[in-house]
Amino acid sequence: QVGRDGSVTVVESAKAAVEDGRAALADLPQVGWRVGRVEKVLAGLPGGPDVVVADPPRKGLGRAVVEALAG
């Protein structure tokens, strides 16, 4: 959906999930992968996102993630 000029950054705390994602989407160079906690990784990303899609655990995103996304 982002086309050739857009980008998607996936942030995942599980290294194995990132490795699997990289392998599964290797043909999509516009998808970048980061391993780490969302609230920490967000601070190091350039610019702000246009869209955020979250898949939180049952307990929810948590205050730190919501604050990082809102910031």
Side-chain angles (χ1 to χ4, degrees):
Q1 294 297 320
V2 299
R4 294 187 187 273
D5 297 329
S7 66
V8 174
T9 301
V10 179
V11 180
E12 170 60 55
S13 61
K15 185 178 179 183
V18 169
E19 291 170 355
D20 289 345
R22 281 184 178 141
L25 301 177
D27 61 329
L28 300 174
Q30 63 271 49
V31 178
W33 298 85
R34 304 288 176 101
V35 177
R37 296 184 57 89
V38 172
E39 64 272 24
K40 293 184 179 185
V41 173
L42 279 178
L45 295 177
D50 293 322
V51 175
V52 174
V53 177
D55 182 17
R58 288 184 186 266
K59 65 182 179 177
L61 289 175
R63 181 179 292 266
V65 174
V66 171
E67 289 175 355
L69 288 171

